[in-house]
Amino acid sequence: FGVTKRYDMWISHAPLHPVELFDLPNVHGHAHRNLLKDDVRYLNVAIEWLPNGRPLSLDCVRSMFVERAAWARARIVCGGTP
């Protein structure tokens, strides 16, 4: 299973360790039963978690990371945790 850095994100089979991210998000598909839903740096694209069981477009993945990062910033500004 490989890891590649493309499109300003890490694409990997399994989630990368947080220290390996170097401020880039990580698209992965290994965690079939678990989601890292509280960490906006990760997006699990295992088929079980996808809408209608269909792959996401690159534009959709990018938009999801932008929206999740904006939500995390808003939570910090409002006194919550990221």
Side-chain angles (χ1 to χ4, degrees):
F1 305 120
V3 175
T4 188
K5 184 174 121 181
R6 288 208 177 135
Y7 315 111
D8 295 321
M9 64 184 79
W10 293 107
I11 302 170
S12 61
H13 177 75
L16 299 178
H17 190 278
V19 298
E20 298 177 300
L21 294 177
F22 300 104
D23 293 326
L24 291 177
N26 180 207
V27 178
H28 66 88
H30 177 75
H32 297 280
R33 300 196 196 294
N34 300 310
L35 287 175
L36 299 166
K37 49 188 162 178
D38 292 333
D39 194 328
V40 298
R41 300 173 295 178
Y42 296 93
L43 179 60
N44 185 349
V45 294
I47 198 74
E48 299 90 349
W49 300 106
L50 297 177
N52 302 318
R54 300 183 73 172
L56 302 174
S57 69
L58 180 59
D59 287 336
C60 181
V61 169
R62 286 180 172 157
S63 294
M64 290 176 79
F65 277 123
V66 168
E67 289 174 22
R68 294 169 86 194
W71 178 247
R73 285 191 301 276
R75 286 173 55 191
I76 292 169
V77 168
C78 296
T81 57

